[in-house]
Structure formats: structure tokens, C-alpha cells
């Protein structure tokens, strides 16, 4: 970087600091309010002044893509963008950055729409263990933003502030050089910066807009709602497609009364909790799922795009993310139809999964999803009959019950294929009713 460029950048940084509120005195463990914009989401945090930006991002906002290595500013693993400049998150106190705009590796691109740097890293296999990859991606973004068209032979020195212990750097340099050639005027801006819910890890603090943090004003919540956060589903095939039809011996009017009350309807979803009504049919909420050793807690946004009594139809788009990086998006349609004996409730869902939750096989994920919708139908019936929130779906759906029920269904189907279903035991023993 030239002397002029350094002087110019220093002046810009000084101007930004000058415009920030003056810090106030506080004890080492006395929480102070810090307001940041992180990946496009305004966030308000209450945390001790000794907490670093890395602590705030990982523990309080759940953005664990920022990795910690040496915690001395040497390895470069924790590199993020602060007000348009690369910075070490382990060397900055969060309270220093009140009013700053921060972009982490999560803000670069989405799984279905990667940033050109991410695509190039994948194409060149510029990673092995992946621990240093977020730091290299953010440092590379900073480099190509400030020095578009940089010569390939200059890249190793420019990226020497990030250490990799696996690859030997050659593929990393090739990936950055290719991106530079394809974007000679400068790389595109980060593509995943938008309003979303942010939530801390266990023991951390939830924060973010819409509706995520204590201290967020009504005006800010209103601003977030007025922007009508757009939920864009991937163009690819869904991970899971579910169609469940249930006949309820309850009149249509009573069933629709449940479907018409969003707060009551949310209590019928296993493990779900509605946390705030943002207006304009937008809501924030949480959903918990526990299957075996995998325990997930999603925080996200739902948007009701259709709500028509005449057709008995509701359509909901939803997206959420857990603190471990698992993401889910869903397109859910509920249709209630009056029948001679009561109401037929049909649920159609297209679900997109990434991260840990995608480790389930498609068949198992589909079976578990169907079981959850069956529980949902039972809860709707209970709420429609009593006019009150159902009592059964407290907490996360039972992993044991979901998996046991799923496996029992599979075993029944397998036994029927071999002619061992109910009443067809070849050895004359006990029929397979016990699997019910």
C-alpha cells in the first residue's frame, strides 16, 4: 500500500471515529451498550468492555465463522471487515466499535449463491481443514476491493498476514488470482448482508433485528418490519418434500379459528415459539429440534403470504439459522376443507436444509418431518376442540419419540414386503402389532 493510500485510509478511519459517540467509563465486568451493524443487521449488545469483537460475534451473535487461532493478531484467522477495512477481531474490543459496520465470512455469500471468492476457493480446492479459510476469504476480499487487478506475483506477500498450516498456499493464491482476473474492476460486494435474527450460543445473549435484543427501540423494530424482509428460497430441489393429509372429526369453523389465530397456530407446531409480531404478516420466532446427539435451536423469520378463509388456505415462507451454522428454509401450505365428518387438513412443505441438520439422510429427514406434521395435526385438533393452546408440544420434539416412531414405520413396511405384517406371521408367533 502506498504512502498516499495509507494517509487516505488513516484519515477516513479518523473521521469515522470522530463521528462516534464518546465512550463512557465502566468497570471491567460492568455491561455497556454496543450498537453494531453486522452483515446488514443492526444489533444492540450489552456486554463487558473487556469482550473482544471476536467474543461478541461468536458468543453473543452466534457468528462462529470467525475463527480464533492465536488470539494475538498474528495468525489472521479472525479477520473481518470493519467499516470497509480488514481487521483482526481478536485485537479489537467490541465497545471500541460502537456504530461500526462489520462484515464476517457469513455475509459474503449464501449456500445457493456463493460469492465469487468462495466459488473460486472451492474450484481450486484452496482449503483442507478449513480453519484458516474464513480469514483468507475476508483478507482476499479486502485485497481485491482495494487493489483490483493485482498481479498474481504480488498476492503471496499481500496475503502473508494469514497463516495456513495445511495447503502450502499455492491453491489459495491461484483462487485469488483467478477471482482478480475475472473481476478486474473489483470484486462484487458481499451478497448475504440483510436483516435477519441473530442469536448467541449457549450462555450468550440474543441480539439483532428484527426483534432480537433488549434495548432495541420501537422505532427500530418498526423500521425493520417496514422493510418487509424478503425470504428467497433456493432454485434447487428441496432437501425434503412433505405431504400429509389428516381427517379431523372437528367442524371446519373450529379448525379455521385455530388457523386464523397466528399465535395459537404457532403453539401447535412441535418445538416452535412465536417471539414477536413485526406487522405486515411478518413474525420472528424460535424452533427447537433434538434428534439423538444433534440438538438444534433455530431463530428466524416467518412471512404469511396467503391467508384466505374462502379457500381455507394459508401459505408461510420461513427461514432460520442456529448458532452452529445450520440453516433451514421452508415453504409451507396448509389447506383446510370441510367434509361430511369434519375437516380435512392438508399440509404441503418444501424444506431446504444446510449444515448439521442436513447430515440426516433425505429419507430419514422426510420421515421425521412427516411425524412432526402428524403431531401438528393432533395439536390443531386439540386446540380446535378446547379453544386453548394444546398441552402436548411443550419444548423440543422428543428425539426418542420421533426416531422410534419413524423406525417403527419403516420396520412395519419392511415386514409387510416380506409377508410378515399383521395376521401374516409365518411362524405363528405374535403378530407385529407391537410395533405400533
Amino acid at each position: 500500500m502506498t504512502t498516499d493510500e495509507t494517509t487516505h485510509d488513516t484519515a477516513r478511519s479518523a473521521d469515522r471515529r470522530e463521528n462516534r459517540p464518546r465512550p463512557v467509563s465502566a468497570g471491567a465486568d460492568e455491561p455497556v451498550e454496543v450498537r453494531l451493524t453486522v452483515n446488514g443487521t443492526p444489533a444492540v449488545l450489552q456486554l463487558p468492555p473487556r469482550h473482544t469483537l471476536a467474543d461478541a460475534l461468536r458468543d453473543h451473535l452466534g457468528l462462529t465463522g470467525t475463527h480464533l487461532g492465536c488470539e494475538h493478531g498474528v495468525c489472521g484467522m479472525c479477520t473481518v471487515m470493519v467499516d470497509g477495512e480488514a481487521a483482526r477481531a481478536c485485537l479489537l474490543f467490541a465497545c471500541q466499535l460502537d456504530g461500526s459496520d462489520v462484515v464476517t465470512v457469513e455475509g459474503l455469500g449464501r449456500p445457493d449463491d456463493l460469492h465469487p471468492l468462495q466459488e473460486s476457493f472451492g474450484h481450486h480446492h484452496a482449503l483442507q481443514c478449513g480453519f484458516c479459510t474464513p480469514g483468507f476469504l475476508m483478507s482476499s476480499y479486502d485485497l481485491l476491493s482495494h487493489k483490483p487487478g493485482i498481479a498474481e506475483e504480488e498476492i503471496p506477500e499481500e496475503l502473508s498476514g494469514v497463516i495456513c498450516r495445511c495447503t502450502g498456499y499455492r491453491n489459495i493464491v491461484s483462487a485469488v488470482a483467478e477471482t482478480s482476473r475475472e473481476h478486474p474492476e473489483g470484486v462484487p460486494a458481499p451478497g448475504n448482508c440483510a436483516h435477519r435474527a441473530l442469536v448467541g450460543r449457549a450462555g450468550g445473549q440474543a441480539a439483532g433485528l428484527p426483534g432480537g435484543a433488549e434495548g432495541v427501540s420501537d422505532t427500530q423494530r418498526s423500521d425493520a418490519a417496514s422493510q418487509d424482509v424478503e425470504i428467497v428460497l433456493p432454485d434447487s430441489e428441496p432437501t425434503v418434500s412433505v405431504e400429509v393429509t389428516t381427517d379431523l372429526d372437528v367442524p371446519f369453523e373450529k379448525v379455521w379459528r385455530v388457523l386464523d389465530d397466528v399465535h395459537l397456530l404457532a403453539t401447535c407446531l412441535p418445538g416452535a415459539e412465536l417471539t414477536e409480531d413485526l406487522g405486515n404478516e411478518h413474525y420472528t420466532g424460535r424452533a427447537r429440534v433434538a434428534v439423538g446427539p444433534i440438538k438444534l435451536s433455530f431463530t428466524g423469520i416467518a412471512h404469511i403470504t396467503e391467508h384466505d378463509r374462502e379457500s381455507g388456505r394459508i401459505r408461510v415462507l420461513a427461514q432460520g439459522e442456529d448458532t452452529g451454522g445450520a440453516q433451514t428454509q421452508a415453504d409451507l401450505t396448509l389447506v383446510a376443507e370441510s367434509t361430511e365428518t369434519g375437516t380435512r387438513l392438508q399440509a404441503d412443505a418444501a424444506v431446504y436444509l444446510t449444515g448439521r441438520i442436513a447430515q440426516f439422510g433425505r429419507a430419514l429427514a422426510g420421515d421425521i418431518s412427516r411425524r412432526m406434521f402428524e403431531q401438528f395435526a393432533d395439536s390443531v385438533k386439540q386446540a380446535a376442540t378446547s379453544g386453548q393452546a394444546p398441552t402436548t408440544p411443550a419444548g423440543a420434539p422428543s428425539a426418542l419419540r420421533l426416531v422410534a416412531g419413524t423406525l417403527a414405520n419403516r420396520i412395519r413396511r419392511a415386514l409387510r414386503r416380506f409377508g410378515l405384517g399383521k395376521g401374516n406371521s409365518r411362524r405363528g408367533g405374535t403378530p407385529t402389532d407391537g410395533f405400533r
Side-chain angles (χ1 to χ4, degrees):
M1 185 175 285
T2 66
T3 303
D4 288 344
E5 288 173 323
T6 303
T7 303
H8 178 60
D9 290 341
T10 303
R12 279 193 302 169
S13 299
D15 288 343
R16 279 194 297 269
R17 287 194 296 270
E18 190 67 28
N19 291 328
R20 290 179 193 151
R22 294 296 181 187
V24 296
S25 299
D29 294 311
E30 181 183 345
V32 297
E33 180 178 281
V34 179
R35 293 175 178 264
L36 303 169
T37 300
V38 183
N39 297 334
T41 299
V44 180
L45 294 169
Q46 299 285 340
L47 72 177
R50 60 185 173 81
H51 277 211
T52 65
L53 175 60
D55 295 330
L57 294 173
R58 292 177 58 82
D59 297 331
H60 294 264
L61 298 177
L63 297 170
T64 55
T66 300
H67 292 168
L68 285 171
C70 67
E71 299 193 68
H72 291 283
V74 176
C75 70
M77 309 287 184
C78 64
T79 302
V80 297
M81 301 295 292
V82 177
D83 293 327
E85 306 290 338
R88 301 285 201 264
C90 73
L91 294 183
L92 294 171
F93 290 114
C95 62
Q96 290 178 268
L97 304 176
D98 191 45
S100 291
D101 184 88
V102 178
V103 178
T104 71
V105 69
E106 288 91 345
L108 269 188
R110 301 193 307 271
D112 61 319
D113 186 18
L114 296 176
H115 190 273
L117 272 169
Q118 293 171 310
E119 290 184 333
S120 187
F121 267 59
H123 175 70
H124 286 275
H125 193 63
L127 66 160
Q128 285 187 30
C129 78
F131 194 78
C132 68
T133 304
F136 268 111
L137 283 169
M138 300 311 294
S139 292
S140 301
Y141 174 79
D142 177 67
L143 172 63
L144 298 185
S145 296
H146 290 85
K147 289 191 173 183
I150 185 173
E152 183 168 352
E153 57 268 21
E154 297 179 44
I155 293 175
E157 181 178 355
E158 293 288 347
L159 293 182
S160 60
V162 185
I163 296 174
C164 173
R165 301 180 187 276
C166 306
T167 67
Y169 301 99
R170 187 65 260 168
N171 292 354
I172 295 172
V173 172
S174 298
V176 177
E178 179 183 84
T179 307
S180 178
R181 287 192 299 270
E182 292 180 352
H183 300 276
E185 302 301 319
V187 288
N192 194 30
C193 291
H195 281 73
R196 58 174 52 80
L198 299 175
V199 61
R201 299 191 292 175
Q205 169 191 354
L209 283 174
E214 257 189 303
V216 177
S217 69
D218 292 339
T219 301
Q220 288 175 304
R221 284 195 176 95
S222 176
D223 290 343
S226 67
Q227 293 187 33
D228 287 345
V229 179
E230 184 180 4
I231 299 174
V232 180
L233 300 177
D235 295 329
S236 57
E237 288 293 316
T239 309
V240 177
S241 295
V242 179
E243 295 182 12
V244 176
T245 301
T246 307
D247 288 316
L248 308 176
D249 55 352
V250 181
F252 172 85
E253 289 297 333
K254 289 190 174 182
V255 172
W256 183 255
R257 209 170 294 140
V258 177
L259 303 185
D260 198 39
D261 184 337
V262 176
H263 293 268
L264 181 58
L265 181 64
T267 65
C268 298
L269 292 167
E273 177 188 359
L274 192 66
T275 56
E276 187 163 4
D277 183 345
L278 300 175
N280 297 329
E281 300 289 0
H282 284 74
Y283 303 85
T284 60
R286 286 188 287 266
R288 289 171 288 169
V289 179
V291 179
I294 300 180
K295 294 179 173 60
L296 304 169
S297 179
F298 291 93
T299 301
I301 297 174
H303 178 205
I304 299 178
T305 61
E306 295 180 46
H307 197 164
D308 181 33
R309 186 196 179 287
E310 289 299 318
S311 60
R313 177 185 173 92
I314 295 177
R315 184 183 178 212
V316 181
L317 301 180
Q319 65 183 21
E321 182 173 358
D322 91 323
T323 57
Q327 296 179 335
T328 181
Q329 292 178 291
D331 183 351
L332 170 64
T333 301
L334 298 172
V335 179
E337 179 185 358
S338 180
T339 64
E340 292 183 2
T341 58
T343 306
R344 176 163 295 144
L345 183 63
Q346 179 176 333
D348 296 324
V351 183
Y352 302 84
L353 306 174
T354 59
R356 290 185 300 162
I357 195 170
Q359 294 173 11
F360 300 137
R362 285 177 178 261
L364 180 58
D367 285 347
I368 290 175
S369 298
R370 276 184 283 275
R371 295 283 295 180
M372 291 179 69
F373 277 113
E374 289 169 4
Q375 289 184 18
F376 167 72
D378 289 341
S379 296
V380 169
K381 177 181 177 180
Q382 187 181 144
T385 303
S386 67
Q388 299 178 346
T391 56
T392 51
S398 165
L400 181 61
R401 191 164 60 246
L402 287 174
V403 175
T406 297
L407 293 178
N409 284 340
R410 288 188 173 191
I411 292 171
R412 280 202 297 273
R413 290 197 296 267
L415 290 174
R416 280 197 290 269
R417 282 202 301 271
F418 287 99
L420 293 176
K422 181 179 178 181
N424 291 319
S425 177
R426 291 180 178 177
R427 297 190 179 184
T430 305
T432 57
D433 287 347
F435 288 111
R436 292 191 168 189

